[in-house]
Amino acid sequence: MKILVAVDRSSYSAYAVEEAARLARNTLANVTLLGVLSPKEARKNHHDPASVAWGPSHPLAKALGQYRESFLSYFEEKDSPYLNREFDYELIEVAKGVWQELGVCRSARKSLKVRTRLGNPVKQILAEAEEDESDLIIVGCSEQKQCFWEGDANVPERLANGAACSVLVVKEERNVRKIVCCLDQDKTSQESLEMINQMVSIHHADLEVIGMSDGEGLKSEVERKMNSILKYYLDRQINPQIKVVPLSSLEEFISKEARQDLMALWMGKKSVLENVLPWTKVKRVIKASHSSVLILR
Amino acid sequence: MVAANKTSILVLDDETIVLKRLRPALEKAGYEVEVFSRSSEASERITQKDFEIVITDLKMPGLDGMQFLTMVKERSPTTEVIVITGFATMETAKESFQKGAFDFLAKPFKLGEIQEIVKKAEAKVLKNRMQ
């Protein structure tokens, strides 16, 4: 699993790093901590408008260093999959037909990269996720309705909308006791089921799977799909609660549940949920939610 | 006809969707691949052949992935075993490595990520073969 943790200097980013560390401790994921420097921020207090005031003393670079240390502190040194232990020399082709003996360290089982990109935060985070083939983007967001992301307050919502992979928007509340999962009855990706499995394992949380009805109860096709999802979990010794919610009251239901539980919403391109719950409403759910929201793809 | 120098891989996962995804990708990358959705059948197969790489899920009905890992390493210590799981925990990761797993990969993952691990495992297999 590859996790991209998008951070800024706000305090909620520390919670996102914490959540990523918790997930990585169990999954041994390859992790990238990414900070994005907006061009405006990069040139602040710099006389030459074309140059970038970027370096180790920049506040974002310092914050990234702190996040890295905080992330690594979740792992005991002897067990850490991110620590390099053995150095060796290896011949590496540095240009076509040119080899150089370079000191390499290959013993870390998994990678922890700390990166900074320059540009629009949403575009840069999505580009990093695509290039690195991330399975999950984790991003922090304040509990208040207004997020304070530098340069663009809507970064978490826009990431959740634009990413090709799943996005976990982490709120400051961390104790997840129940995961309420609105899975699409028509097309549920294997990746989304697997992501839910990992979340249930990590948080030792209960799982509630929501089916949507049109008021006449579950139609046979929907019922068949819900049964197959139920069987999938029962086969894996997870006993989910199954609940049916009328489409007409889905938004209200989600808003209510999002106050206390981790809300997982399947929002694929062909998702039924995306039709009945327009993106503007999902954005409201993310903003209004007191707990974390997982957008599944 | 299968080329004699192809690296052999056995994949065991009770979810056929995983096998359907992995088999063509690994074959395309030049490996000789056999897939099993039942651990009993995979256990039988490893008594007939020593695979160079084994990819196994952990949570399966019957013989689970951890037991299968133990069995593989007992029979063929040079086989590199990659553990894949949808229910990763720190304990299962630790146990896998203690039992000799080459790597541990939590689901979901992209094909590129597992192919990279397989490549590293293959490099180790080839290095051992030359020694």
Side-chain angles (χ1 to χ4, degrees), chain A residues 284-295:
Chain A
R284 283 214 299 271
V285 169
I286 292 174
K287 274 188 173 168
S289 170
H290 289 285
S291 55
S292 302
V293 178
L294 174 63
I295 304 294

Side-chain angles (χ1 to χ4, degrees), chain A residues 89-104 106:
Chain A
Y89 287 95
E90 203 168 290
L91 275 176
I92 305 236
E93 191 173 20
V94 288
K96 201 171 179 195
V98 182
W99 282 267
Q100 186 178 329
E101 197 177 56
L102 293 172
V104 292
R106 292 197 186 280

Side-chain angles (χ1 to χ4, degrees), chain A residues 178-179 206-210 226 230 239-243:
Chain A
K178 189 165 75 172
I179 298 173
D206 293 330
L207 177 64
E208 189 170 276
V209 180
I210 305 302
M226 291 300 287
L230 181 63
N239 295 305
Q241 283 183 298
I242 299 282
K243 201 181 255 184

Side-chain angles (χ1 to χ4, degrees), chain A residues 61-131:
Chain A
K62 284 184 180 171
L64 280 165
Q66 284 165 1
Y67 292 144
R68 181 192 61 236
E69 291 311 307
S70 157
F71 178 90
L72 289 172
S73 71
Y74 274 80
F75 301 85
E76 280 185 45
E77 203 176 315
K78 64 182 173 61
D79 297 324
S80 176
Y82 304 103
L83 281 189
N84 298 323
R85 292 187 178 85
E86 292 165 18
F87 286 89
D88 202 356
Y89 287 95
E90 203 168 290
L91 275 176
I92 305 236
E93 191 173 20
V94 288
K96 201 171 179 195
V98 182
W99 282 267
Q100 186 178 329
E101 197 177 56
L102 293 172
V104 292
C105 179
R106 292 197 186 280
S107 63
R109 291 190 198 281
K110 302 291 173 179
S111 73
L112 170 63
K113 291 186 280 188
V114 179
R115 286 191 144 191
T116 308
R117 296 176 75 125
L118 180 69
N120 172 287
V122 175
K123 281 186 185 166
Q124 293 303 319
I125 295 164
L126 292 180
E128 180 71 27
E130 196 184 329
E131 285 164 25

Side-chain angles (χ1 to χ4, degrees), chain A residues 154-219:
Chain A
N154 294 319
V155 166
E157 297 94 295
R158 290 177 59 202
L159 280 180
N161 189 19
C165 62
S166 296
V167 178
L168 176 62
V169 181
V170 177
K171 297 287 178 120
E172 292 171 29
E173 170 64 53
R174 290 166 291 154
N175 190 14
V176 177
R177 282 172 298 178
K178 189 165 75 172
I179 298 173
V180 180
C181 193
C182 291
L183 286 175
D184 191 289
Q185 292 118 322
D186 283 349
K187 191 181 182 305
T188 304
S189 72
Q190 177 73 10
E191 289 83 358
S192 63
L193 291 173
E194 289 166 353
M195 194 61 80
I196 291 294
N197 294 342
Q198 300 293 6
M199 290 293 172
V200 168
S201 296
I202 286 150
H203 292 287
H204 304 289
D206 293 330
L207 177 64
E208 189 170 276
V209 180
I210 305 302
M212 290 166 277
S213 78
D214 56 4
E216 299 161 13
L218 285 176
K219 286 189 176 163

